[in-house]
Amino acid sequence: VQLQASGGGLVQAGGSLRLSCTASGRTFDNYGNNYGMGWFRQAPEKGREFVAAITWKGGVDKYADSVKGRATISRDTAKNTGYLQMNSLRPEDSAVYYCAVGLLNAEHENLYAYWGQGTLVTVSS
């Protein structure tokens, strides 16, 4: 299984970005039907933190408080692609964003077995 994240870049504060993550290879057999896609981020000198997640079958989403109301996670099951739309971006949103596939819409990174390579988001003030 491979996850390819894209869509990062440099944006001014208040702007928007849409991150994409496409899965290829075998289906996520580890989880049967109970898998989902999550987005995490890691800023310099900080640990990786949960941003948002969505169950793949039912589309049930979950967000970190820091992005609630500014982020929307979605998925296109036909394309095996997940998305993270980020609006009203702030300098503190600057980080490497990682997509991952794991158990349902879990918040804990330990519940994700498959990870993408990360895409850098830089928000200028």
Side-chain angles (χ1 to χ4, degrees):
V1 174
Q2 291 185 329
L3 299 175
Q4 181 70 42
S6 62
L10 174 64
V11 62
Q12 288 188 332
S16 299
L17 279 177
R18 188 175 83 154
L19 308 181
S20 301
C21 180
T22 299
S24 61
R26 294 186 59 181
T27 55
F28 308 108
D29 295 338
N30 283 6
Y31 302 102
N33 287 325
N34 298 320
Y35 60 88
M37 181 174 285
W39 286 92
F40 293 77
R41 66 187 182 186
Q42 187 167 18
E45 310 297 325
K46 293 187 178 180
R48 191 155 54 187
E49 65 173 0
F50 170 76
V51 178
I54 188 167
T55 63
W56 203 253
K57 295 297 183 183
V60 179
D61 54 16
K62 187 182 295 183
Y63 299 91
D65 288 343
S66 58
V67 303
K68 202 170 290 183
R70 301 188 297 120
T72 302
I73 189 171
S74 61
R75 84 274 187 257
D76 184 330
T77 57
K79 295 181 179 179
N80 267 353
T81 299
Y83 305 95
L84 181 68
Q85 175 72 40
M86 294 282 293
N87 300 322
S88 301
L89 283 161
R90 306 166 180 169
E92 55 263 40
D93 293 318
S94 297
V96 176
Y97 283 70
Y98 298 91
C99 61
V101 170
L103 180 65
L104 295 174
N105 56 2
E107 295 182 40
H108 299 286
E109 60 180 283
N110 291 344
L111 295 175
Y112 289 83
Y114 306 99
W115 291 84
Q117 84 286 3
T119 184
L120 178 63
V121 172
T122 304
V123 184
S124 62
S125 57

